[in-house]
Structure formats: C-alpha cells, structure tokens
Amino acid sequence: MSTDKATVAEFLEQLEPLDVRARAMFGEYGLYCDDKLVALIADDQLLVKPSAAAADYAEESWLVPPYPGAKPYFRIPESKLAESAWLREFVQRTADVLPARVPKSRKSSAKPQ
C-alpha cells in the first residue's frame, strides 16, 4: 500500500512553519527538515527517525520498521498526530541533533592513464 498524496500534504501543513519538504522515495516519502531526513511517510503513517532527541518525545513501544528488513522508526500514534505543537517540536529537535548532510563528491570524468 502506498501513501496518499493528500496525507503528505496534511503532514506538511501541520508542520508549518518549519522548513520541511517531502520527497518521493521507493513508492513512499521521505520527510526532510532543514535538509535532513528526519522521518518517513509510509502507508499513510508518519515514522520519525530515532535520535538523541526521541527520548523526550517517543516511547520504545512506538518503534517499528517502516517496511520488512528496515531499521525501526518511531511510528507516531493517531492521538499524538493531533498535537501539532508537539509534533513540530519533535521533528525540529530531531533535525537539530542529526548531523548535517555531507555533499557527495563528484567523480572525475577523466580516465586514469
């Protein structure tokens, strides 16, 4: 099952005014805050990446893999999704503790001699 685009739009709207965007990935979506991958949107559910910030916001019982074989993420329960201020704070704090994205180096087009 894939995520409905309307669900993605709802999550983005709920997270305003944070610097967030969603990017289609493998039939689902990655959620970026401050250009850092902080969450996944899969099967119309929001799953936040585990980080040092999670201890203040999430419960261990929320940890589930977004798809078979994946590392677990914190699936946000419906009851917490309604708390916009809490959700914005959790997403922003997660972005704050994640390392900055390292740009990939471009390979030289020159062939070795």
Side-chain angles (χ1 to χ4, degrees), residues 13-95:
E13 184 178 320
Q14 189 171 11
L15 292 168
E16 288 178 354
L18 297 181
D19 178 20
V20 293
R21 65 183 170 86
R23 180 176 173 198
M25 313 173 63
F26 309 110
E28 297 293 354
Y29 294 86
L31 182 73
Y32 292 79
C33 180
D34 299 335
D35 284 330
K36 298 174 186 176
L37 180 65
V38 295
L40 300 175
I41 303 171
D43 291 332
D44 291 319
Q45 298 181 41
L46 182 64
L47 299 113
V48 178
K49 191 173 198 172
S51 71
D56 294 334
Y57 297 92
E59 299 175 17
E60 288 289 318
S61 63
W62 298 357
L63 281 171
V64 296
Y67 53 88
K71 292 181 181 180
Y73 276 56
F74 289 102
R75 180 177 54 212
I76 307 304
E78 288 286 326
S79 60
K80 293 304 255 181
L81 286 175
E83 298 179 31
S84 295
W86 174 89
L87 188 58
R88 282 191 300 271
E89 189 174 306
F90 186 11
V91 168
Q92 184 63 66
R93 291 273 318 275
T94 299

Side-chain angles (χ1 to χ4, degrees), residues 87-108:
L87 188 58
R88 282 191 300 271
E89 189 174 306
F90 186 11
V91 168
Q92 184 63 66
R93 291 273 318 275
T94 299
D96 291 346
V97 299
L98 292 176
R101 196 176 89 175
V102 178
K104 292 182 181 181
S105 62
R106 293 187 152 211
K107 292 183 180 182
S108 174

